[in-house]
Amino acid sequence: VKADALRGHLDVLVLAALRGAPAHGYAVIEELRQRSSGAFELAEGTVYPVLHRLEAEGLLTSAWSVVSGRRRRIYRLTRRGGSVLGAREAEWRQFAAAVEAVLA
Amino acid sequence: MSYLDELAKELTRVGIRGRLRSRIVAEAADHLADSDVVSFGEARTIAQRFADELATAQSRRAALAAFAALAVAGVGFAGAWLLVAPAGGWPDVFSAEVVGLGVAASLGMLVCPQVAFAAGLLTLLCAWRLRRLAAAPAAEVSLLLRRTRTALGFGVAAMLSLALYALEFRAELAGWYTLAVAIGGVALTVPLAAVAATVRRTARLRTVVPGEAGSVFDDLPVELPRRPWVLCLGVAAATAVASLVAGGADEGPRNAVVEGALVVVCFAALGRRLGLRGP
């Protein structure tokens, strides 16, 4: 899946990657890579502007933390981020089901 | 030049400086300890993406903050307006300490709050329309910031007009009123000035997302014919009718003419700046 096709969906993917536990940027990218079986072709650095924007919108919070002796910025889903994720997830499932029905 | 130096330089180029730039570079350095620069992406592309996405998010937030600050100032302004009667009643406009300043303050109190409210409302509508965009076109961000600046500018002018009014007519108004309004008028400009500083910082971000700015017809929740002057005359007529009804038989007709004309004059003067009409 090319980066251009992903752009409109990156928010929900990043929020979903952080649903389980707080994580740093690299771990978010790894999570996306693993869960998509490497299907997403995006420059790793492009995830950081998304993380910063979601934080500016109040959907994530972040703080520096020392992980295995390294100082890393850890991102965490806020309550509002969780509810936005839920709403976008429902929209996506409805959309995907409609496309699936047309293609069937 | 190392990749991180290049990233820092590119961030500066797109208007990201200070602590935010340091944080981005530190996060990139941490990431690159596990990965490589090719996978991370070109410094120029990453920096530009930061500017595009942060400009959109920050301009939206500034728009909402501006509307909230204007709402607080509006409550204060309305309170001061209502308290004129118990403080001695509306003085004759030519009884000011300095007549020119008294007239200017009176006009400012009439015009500025209404323009601030209209621009603030347009700002809110535009921010709402852009709420789902990760990176809005540069022209949209520019329009949103222009509307926000206009709303804040007229909001500050309204509060300063109020303070000036209380000082200029202090001989005819109660002392407590003059003191409360002068202090309150200046104090309520502080939140407006704080939001203006955020707008200024956001305006430094250089976005390059292509696309045109929407118009007021895209912002409105109802579909209307795209004829700006017809919309203006419709709003002027509605405002005049409301003023006529509210003003009663004595002041209604005069107020209706003044308010209706004010809408048309402001539309002509600020329409392009606020994205209400084309060039």
Side-chain angles (χ1 to χ4, degrees), chain B residues 137-205:
Chain B
E140 289 276 30
V141 172
S142 172
L143 172 64
L144 184 55
L145 291 175
R146 252 191 345 263
R147 284 182 178 178
T148 310
R149 271 196 292 255
T150 305
L152 290 170
F154 277 91
V156 168
M159 299 318 292
L160 294 180
S161 297
L162 182 63
L164 181 62
Y165 185 88
L167 289 173
E168 281 300 314
F169 294 98
R170 62 184 176 278
E172 303 198 31
L173 292 165
W176 59 267
Y177 182 85
T178 303
L179 188 66
V181 167
I183 293 172
V186 173
L188 286 171
T189 62
V190 173
L192 299 173
V195 181
T198 308
V199 171
R200 201 170 163 208
R201 276 198 300 277
T202 305
R204 279 205 291 255
L205 296 171

Side-chain angles (χ1 to χ4, degrees), chain B residues 28-183:
Chain B
D30 173 50
H31 186 104
L32 290 172
D34 294 317
S35 185
D36 57 86
V37 294
V38 176
S39 306
F40 195 76
E42 279 183 30
R44 177 170 280 246
T45 308
I46 304 298
Q48 192 58 62
R49 195 69 69 83
F50 265 108
D52 293 342
E53 300 217 5
L54 289 177
T56 304
Q58 287 179 10
S59 57
R60 255 191 324 244
R61 274 169 66 103
L64 298 177
F67 195 80
L70 283 167
V72 172
V75 169
F77 190 91
W81 191 279
L82 292 172
L83 286 172
V84 170
W90 291 99
D92 184 279
V93 75
F94 297 107
S95 65
E97 295 282 319
V98 178
V99 174
L101 288 178
V103 171
S106 304
L107 280 175
M109 282 173 65
L110 176 73
V111 176
C112 295
Q114 298 189 66
V115 178
F117 175 73
L121 201 59
L122 288 167
T123 301
L124 202 61
L125 287 171
C126 187
W128 178 254
R129 179 165 58 80
L130 302 180
R131 70 192 182 283
R132 283 293 184 93
L133 290 185
E140 289 276 30
V141 172
S142 172
L143 172 64
L144 184 55
L145 291 175
R146 252 191 345 263
R147 284 182 178 178
T148 310
R149 271 196 292 255
T150 305
L152 290 170
F154 277 91
V156 168
M159 299 318 292
L160 294 180
S161 297
L162 182 63
L164 181 62
Y165 185 88
L167 289 173
E168 281 300 314
F169 294 98
R170 62 184 176 278
E172 303 198 31
L173 292 165
W176 59 267
Y177 182 85
T178 303
L179 188 66
V181 167
I183 293 172

Side-chain angles (χ1 to χ4, degrees), chain A residues 7 25-26 29 43-46 48-50 52-53 55-58 62 64 70-73 75 88 91, chain B residues 20 23-24 26-27 30-31 33-36 39-41 46 49-50 53-54 57 60-61 132-135:
Chain A
R7 272 190 106 168
Y26 185 77
I29 292 158
E44 293 171 1
T46 58
Y48 287 91
V50 177
H52 278 243
R53 178 173 48 77
E55 186 181 356
E57 289 172 357
S62 76
W64 289 108
R70 270 167 65 181
R71 194 166 165 267
R72 315 193 85 161
R73 191 84 185 181
Y75 291 88
R88 301 246 178 115
E91 276 175 26
Chain B
L20 178 58
R23 176 183 152 185
I24 293 169
E27 284 188 85
D30 173 50
H31 186 104
D34 294 317
S35 185
D36 57 86
S39 306
F40 195 76
I46 304 298
R49 195 69 69 83
F50 265 108
E53 300 217 5
L54 289 177
R60 255 191 324 244
R61 274 169 66 103
R132 283 293 184 93
L133 290 185

Side-chain angles (χ1 to χ4, degrees), chain B residues 176-253:
Chain B
W176 59 267
Y177 182 85
T178 303
L179 188 66
V181 167
I183 293 172
V186 173
L188 286 171
T189 62
V190 173
L192 299 173
V195 181
T198 308
V199 171
R200 201 170 163 208
R201 276 198 300 277
T202 305
R204 279 205 291 255
L205 296 171
R206 289 192 195 168
T207 60
V208 294
V209 180
E212 291 181 5
S215 76
V216 66
F217 297 102
D218 300 308
D219 296 332
L220 291 172
V222 289
E223 197 68 36
L224 291 175
R226 292 178 171 257
R227 298 174 67 184
W229 279 104
V230 173
L231 176 69
C232 164
L233 293 175
V235 172
T239 309
V241 169
S243 303
L244 187 66
V245 172
D250 291 342
E251 297 184 351

Side-chain angles (χ1 to χ4, degrees), chain A residues 11-104:
Chain A
D11 289 15
V12 74
L13 294 173
V14 168
L15 291 173
L18 285 163
R19 178 164 39 198
H24 49 78
Y26 185 77
V28 169
I29 292 158
E30 279 296 296
E31 183 78 7
L32 291 176
R33 195 173 283 149
Q34 277 180 16
R35 287 209 223 168
S36 69
S37 307
F40 299 151
E41 288 176 27
L42 77 164
E44 293 171 1
T46 58
V47 169
Y48 287 91
V50 177
L51 287 166
H52 278 243
R53 178 173 48 77
L54 293 174
E55 186 181 356
E57 289 172 357
L59 307 185
L60 300 178
T61 55
S62 76
W64 289 108
S65 183
V66 177
V67 180
S68 309
R70 270 167 65 181
R71 194 166 165 267
R72 315 193 85 161
R73 191 84 185 181
I74 304 294
Y75 291 88
R76 182 186 301 270
L77 201 62
T78 62
R79 186 179 291 182
R80 194 168 147 242
S83 54
V84 166
L85 172 61
R88 301 246 178 115
E89 218 174 352
E91 276 175 26
W92 171 258
R93 287 190 199 288
Q94 199 179 4
F95 174 74
V99 172
E100 194 65 41
V102 171
L103 295 179

